[in-house]
Amino acid sequence: MVDQETPETPESQDAPIKERKNRLYPAVSDELAASMKSDWADTELSGLEPIPQAGYAAARRAALSARFPGERIVVPAGNLRPRSNDTDYPFRPATEYVHLTGDQTQDAVLVLEPTAESGHEAAVYLLPRSARDNGEFWLDGQGELWVGRRNSLTEAETLLGLPCKDLRTAADTLREATGPVRVVRGHDAGIEAALTDKVTAERDAELTVFLSELRLVKDEFEIAELQQACDSTTRGFEDVVRTLDKAEATSERWIEGTFFLRARVEGNDVGYGSICAAGPHATTLHWVRNDGAVRSGELLLLDAGVETRSLYTADVTRTLPINGRFTPLQRKIYDAVYESQQAGIDAVKPGAAYRDFHEASQRVLAEKLVEWGLVEGPAERVLELALQRRWTLHGTGHMLGLDVHDCAHARTESYVDCTLEPGMVLTVEPGLYFQADDLSVPEEYRGIGVRIEDDILVTADGNRNLSAALPRRSDKVEAWMAALRA
Ligand code: GLY
Ligand code: MN
Ligand code: MN
């Protein structure tokens, strides 16, 4: 990295730049300072169109406004987290902020100001373009010369379809505001500090719960994005299969890197740390170290999802025979998980209880475990005591969207006890995992883990599998792998 001659960030556009000592350039000469102020072209953009999700975000803000009349609502995008010195972790804006604006700018804050007519006026506070008349653009760590061009406030207003104001006025404006306020906590300590005597934990938690539940049903824009996330993910899985020989020669890291390349080129990132679990690592649910060997004859459990540039993520798992052919025992276990997953997917439809897909999937697995003599039946007894969990371990799915585990703050009655509605998107992902040290199963089972995970949209008359382009049935998986490696 290039070392910055960074002054303290100016408090305002007129603040003097403070020089830092002990650097290769201990001072900025008057002549250089004067030179850097002039001879820059006007690059203001014209003819911009609103981002495609602007209208959808406005509808979400309208729902938020209706829920909290007369209250000021504050939704920060969040700040960079330093990794060391002036190096930061990659920025990921807060999901609530993205959902309500479509914007992804660090440090930004959405504020809904209550109006006399019982609605709200929304505005986004953003850092404007860097000033050229005081050195900010080239001496400040967040100057555009270091981090890239920002939108001007006028440009941002067109793109977002919202009034945009200077971020540097946000904290003072909020500090001075009167009347009830709620803030989404956990993203911006500075904004929270400005509101500290106006908010309560309980009221802020209600806001977070409401915004989580607002994301339960996806609109057209979101469904198209999730489809795109699944389509890119399919291509990422194909990339991995084509290059499995390189993984065998190196490690699981080759698989992680291969999928990541697809995610970065087609999308924004991976939506979560890719789980590239070969052999017995498949029995560790969130295996993200990805530093193990990839061996012919074993299975690869790959759980990975591309996050689109608008930040919607897929969450897909396939369990693949590394050499292209399942052994008889691998196939028996795989086919049981497939049957379980199919029963789960079939239970996803409008009007069904959310829990139905979980129960349908678990029933199949319990029956298989009894049939194989691993647990004493009947299946009813196993399910009642949840004895199958020794090998099924996790719940059968979750809501999906901007977050891989979306809507996590929704109330139980709105989520796991809800009735499915068109527009909900959830994963169906049963698995069977026989730990390498599990003495309760025959030795040949030990070290085998299988999960199959798809992203399912509830439609008006049933469901649509957004990740159906990736084959699931064992014989189709083998044919697909053979075709890709031919
Ligand atoms: N990838 C994490 C999960 O499947 O929930
Ligand atoms: Mn997953
Ligand atoms: Mn999942």
Side-chain angles (χ1 to χ4, degrees):
M1 286 193 75
V2 185
D3 195 16
Q4 295 175 24
E5 301 299 313
T6 311
E8 286 181 18
T9 304
E11 294 292 315
S12 77
Q13 291 190 338
D14 299 327
I17 297 295
K18 292 186 188 136
E19 292 163 17
R20 268 170 80 164
K21 307 293 181 196
N22 301 322
R23 296 289 165 145
L24 288 174
Y25 291 111
V28 177
S29 70
D30 290 347
E31 192 168 337
L32 174 61
S35 162
M36 292 300 282
K37 287 181 185 177
S38 59
D39 293 328
W40 305 106
D42 177 1
T43 59
E44 183 74 9
L45 301 173
S46 57
L48 294 174
E49 296 286 333
I51 55 175
Q53 65 270 52
Y56 296 99
R60 299 169 200 151
R61 290 194 300 273
L64 174 61
S65 170
R67 170 65 181 80
F68 298 108
E71 302 189 41
R72 185 172 279 98
I73 306 296
V74 181
V75 185
N79 315 126
L80 285 168
R81 278 202 308 129
R83 177 175 160 165
S84 66
N85 304 316
D86 56 0
T87 305
D88 300 300
Y89 287 101
F91 177 69
R92 200 326 182 140
T95 290
E96 295 89 346
Y97 176 79
V98 176
H99 192 235
L100 293 168
T101 63
D103 185 42
Q104 299 182 25
T105 311
Q106 71 198 40
D107 303 321
V109 186
L110 169 71
V111 178
L112 269 62
E113 294 281 346
T115 60
E117 302 80 45
S118 89
H120 289 80
E121 268 171 17
V124 173
Y125 288 82
L126 296 166
L127 197 55
R129 298 210 54 202
S130 298
R132 306 263 168 154
D133 57 2
N134 65 1
E136 182 193 341
F137 89 105
W138 70 290
L139 290 173
D140 187 289
Q142 289 305 313
E144 288 183 308
L145 189 141
W146 290 96
V147 301
R149 188 186 187 282
R150 287 189 276 274
N151 292 315
S152 71
L153 297 184
T154 309
E155 291 165 355
E157 287 193 347
T158 305
L159 291 167
L160 304 181
L162 272 169
C164 292
K165 302 181 182 181
D166 189 332
L167 175 67
R168 290 167 294 193
T169 65
D172 285 345
T173 304
L174 292 171
R175 206 175 282 112
E176 287 157 18
T178 55
V181 185
R182 297 184 195 242
V183 62
V184 177
R185 295 191 182 196
H187 303 299
D188 191 323
I191 292 295
E192 287 178 36
L195 296 169
T196 188
D197 55 352
K198 302 183 201 300
V199 296
T200 69
E202 192 182 5
R203 287 157 40 78
D204 290 350
E206 278 176 5
L207 172 61
T208 298
V209 167
F210 175 79
L211 292 176
S212 211
E213 294 183 359
L214 189 61
R215 300 198 304 275
L216 281 165
V217 174
K218 272 64 183 176
D219 59 37
E220 276 178 332
F221 174 82
E222 295 180 294
I223 291 166
E225 285 295 308
L226 286 164
Q227 182 64 69
Q228 195 178 315
C230 287
D231 293 346
S232 285
T233 298
T234 293
R235 289 187 280 275
F237 274 66
E238 289 169 353
D239 296 340
V240 167
V241 169
R242 280 195 204 96
T243 186
L244 270 177
D245 56 335
K246 295 273 196 335
E248 283 187 66
T250 53
S251 77
E252 296 163 337
R253 289 282 163 95
W254 191 279
I255 295 164
E256 181 182 336
T258 301
F259 190 83
F260 183 63
L261 179 63
R262 179 66 68 171
R264 284 293 280 170
V265 169
E266 292 195 6
N268 177 60
D269 203 337
V270 288
Y272 53 93
S274 300
I275 298 165
C276 308
H281 290 156
T283 66
T284 301
L285 294 179
H286 286 179
W287 175 259
V288 291
R289 280 182 239 159
N290 299 339
D291 59 357
V294 177
R295 297 187 192 89
S296 176
E298 295 185 331
L299 296 174
L300 167 68
L301 185 157
L302 176 58
D303 181 345
V306 172
E307 177 189 69
T308 62
R309 294 189 180 181
S310 63
L311 309 188
Y312 287 83
T313 189
D315 180 12
V316 175
T317 307
R318 291 292 180 267
T319 305
L320 309 172
I322 290 163
N323 65 11
R325 294 282 296 172
F326 290 99
T327 67
L329 179 62
Q330 289 168 350
R331 190 184 306 275
K332 176 175 102 164
I333 297 168
Y334 184 96
D335 287 349
V337 175
Y338 172 81
E339 198 180 310
S340 159
Q341 194 207 21
Q342 191 57 51
I345 293 172
D346 290 344
V348 175
K349 51 191 157 199
Y354 176 87
R355 286 181 186 280
D356 287 355
F357 79 92
H358 170 67
E359 284 167 9
S361 286
Q362 293 299 306
R363 172 168 294 281
V364 172
L365 295 178
E367 286 167 356
K368 296 291 177 188
L369 291 164
V370 170
E371 184 186 317
W372 300 341
L374 302 185
V375 62
E376 186 188 328
E380 290 302 341
R381 183 190 87 89
V382 174
L383 289 165
E384 196 175 316
L385 300 174
L387 301 178
Q388 81 281 7
R389 277 186 73 185
R390 181 177 174 112
W391 304 284
T392 66
L393 299 181
H394 54 80
T396 312
H398 52 83
M399 296 292 181
L400 184 71
L402 282 166
D403 288 331
V404 61
H405 290 182
D406 207 29
C407 315
H409 296 287
R411 293 165 298 170
T412 304
E413 62 262 39
S414 316
Y415 191 156
V416 294
D417 287 341
C418 80
T419 300
L420 294 179
E421 290 177 45
M424 289 178 165
V425 178
L426 52 135
T427 68
V428 178
E429 50 173 309
L432 280 175
Y433 311 90
F434 300 103
Q435 305 299 318
D437 58 353
D438 185 347
L439 300 182
S440 76
V441 298
E443 196 171 349
E444 62 268 25
Y445 284 64
R446 296 177 202 160
I448 294 180
V450 173
R451 176 162 68 254
I452 313 173
E453 176 173 26
D454 284 82
D455 301 343
I456 311 296
L457 165 70
V458 183
T459 60
D461 55 1
N463 71 58
R464 177 152 61 91
N465 183 348
L466 302 179
S467 43
L470 276 175
R472 292 186 295 127
R473 228 175 58 191
S474 53
D475 56 343
K476 294 196 170 168
V477 167
E478 289 175 335
W480 169 75
M481 290 183 74
L484 286 170
R485 297 166 105 180

